[in-house]
Amino acid sequence: MNRPARRSLLAFFVGAALVPVVHAQASGYPARPVRLIVGFPAGTGPDIVARLLAQKLSETWGGQGVIVDNKPGAGGLIAAGEAARAQLDGYTLMLGETGQLSIAPSSYNKLPYDPQKDFIPVSQVVSSDFVLLVNPQKVPAKNVKEFVAWTQQQKGLFLATFGAGTPGHFGAYMFGEAVKQKPEPVHYKTTADALGGLFSGDVQGVFASVGLAAPNVKSGKLAALGTTGASRSPSLPDVPTIKEQGYPTLEFNSWFGIVAPARTPPEIVAKLGADIQKAVSSPDGRQKIEDAGFRVTGTTGAEFARIIAADTASWGKAVAATGFKAD
């Protein structure tokens, strides 16, 4: 047997020997606690979703723990960079969100990770519509058209954001384009600071996630003028979408989903995806997530990959229109 033939035969047997190992990894997975990295602080939307999912996965896995590891900073980029460098065994995952995976490639010249090359989509877990909030004590408007008419009489359209480069930031520009006004985004470091600006009257409105907004709306502290989804939010069914109110081009949302480091064994990725879909589609799992203000999606990995790609293109256009760069 010549040398090339021996090499081919050796490669075949090495590959054949590895296949049972990978299958064994998948069938016994997880054999120890799984670490779920979240790039945002405790109590935020991503953290809430991560902890609800961790609880359901632990139940699905017979009590095998899922450890939520909050790594806030730089809009989630620090967490994403760490997750991209994790071992390829399925024991370190990330709850990725729109900003990290679809907005950052356009808003940063250089990232500590490549969303396309460094991660494999496992499942989109939830999506979240935004809602335009105003302080009813400061803004005399009960719907979007009244708000637009009122702001046209003011010195400008001042909208709070929960940080530069976030979906709410670029959503403010999308809103301005739809209503033919140039917005002035006012960036706050925290959610509490942004809502404080709304209560004080320093800003006229803010696009907040439905989950965050619902308690303040139901208590009467803030007024919801319109949501940004394709249909009304189950959490705020009496609030019409902005599209319903005569602005058909305005539709955007955010989402959270599980990604694994690229080249994680496909059998493990497949098992993860199936287990996540099972966890979020269970009656109590779905109810808890919806009660927190999110829409359960529980997609396949392929569907999630298509969503990331489509949103990278659409958010990229919004970023380009603003000329914004975070670095």
Side-chain angles (χ1 to χ4, degrees):
M1 182 181 296
N2 59 35
R3 183 173 296 177
R6 286 199 300 270
R7 287 178 178 171
S8 297
L9 190 60
L10 177 61
F12 171 80
F13 281 117
V14 169
L18 288 175
V19 171
V21 173
V22 172
H23 280 292
Q25 288 176 338
S27 63
Y29 176 89
R32 64 179 190 271
V34 173
R35 177 186 178 214
L36 179 56
I37 297 177
V38 180
F40 301 88
T44 58
D47 177 72
I48 291 170
V49 172
R51 293 183 187 279
L52 289 172
L53 179 62
Q55 179 185 350
K56 292 304 300 178
L57 284 177
S58 294
E59 294 171 6
T60 300
W61 293 336
Q64 188 61 263
V66 178
I67 301 170
V68 176
D69 187 3
N70 297 92
K71 294 283 185 179
L77 270 62
I78 293 173
E82 183 172 334
R85 297 187 296 272
Q87 291 187 1
L88 314 178
D89 55 8
Y91 285 93
T92 299
L93 308 171
M94 183 179 78
L95 185 81
E97 53 87 45
T98 311
Q100 292 163 303
L101 300 177
S102 285
I103 296 179
S106 297
S107 58
Y108 284 83
N109 290 311
K110 187 176 182 180
L111 290 172
Y113 61 94
D114 185 319
Q116 289 186 324
K117 295 180 180 179
D118 291 338
F119 295 110
I120 180 167
V122 179
S123 176
Q124 185 197 67
V125 179
V126 302
S127 66
S128 176
D129 297 336
F130 289 88
V131 57
L132 176 59
L133 295 178
V134 299
N135 181 350
Q137 303 300 318
K138 303 287 185 179
V139 178
K142 291 183 169 50
N143 56 54
V144 174
K145 288 192 174 181
E146 289 182 3
F147 177 72
V148 171
W150 178 77
T151 56
Q152 287 173 339
Q153 299 172 2
Q154 308 305 307
K155 296 181 179 180
L157 174 58
F158 295 92
L159 297 176
T161 83
F162 300 140
T166 60
H169 173 195
F170 299 116
Y173 277 99
M174 291 181 182
F175 178 76
E177 183 176 339
V179 303
K180 311 301 182 188
Q181 284 184 263
K182 183 179 179 180
E184 296 291 343
V186 181
H187 303 305
Y188 290 89
K189 290 184 177 181
T190 69
T191 299
D193 290 341
L195 293 182
L198 203 60
F199 286 122
S200 67
D202 291 337
V203 292
Q204 299 155 336
V206 64
F207 280 100
S209 67
V210 167
L212 172 66
N216 286 297
V217 172
K218 292 175 181 178
S219 69
K221 293 180 179 178
L222 296 174
L225 303 188
T227 55
T228 64
S231 60
R232 295 193 182 194
S233 168
S235 299
L236 296 171
D238 296 331
V239 180
T241 66
I242 296 177
K243 292 179 70 173
E244 283 182 73
Q245 299 180 62
Y247 304 94
T249 62
L250 191 69
E251 179 184 333
F252 63 91
N253 65 12
S254 63
W255 40 255
F256 310 132
I258 298 297
V259 295
R263 298 181 301 282
T264 297
E267 288 81 0
I268 289 180
V269 172
K271 186 178 190 307
L272 271 169
D275 289 346
I276 289 168
Q277 292 177 63
K278 179 181 177 181
V280 300
S281 63
S282 66
D284 64 322
R286 177 177 291 275
Q287 188 64 52
K288 288 179 180 178
I289 291 173
E290 290 179 347
D291 286 347
F294 300 97
R295 295 180 190 264
V296 175
T297 50
T299 71
T300 65
E303 290 170 333
F304 190 20
R306 286 193 290 270
I307 292 168
I308 294 172
D311 279 7
T312 299
S314 61
W315 284 110
K317 292 179 181 178
V319 174
T322 67
F324 173 82
K325 283 294 179 183
D327 56 0

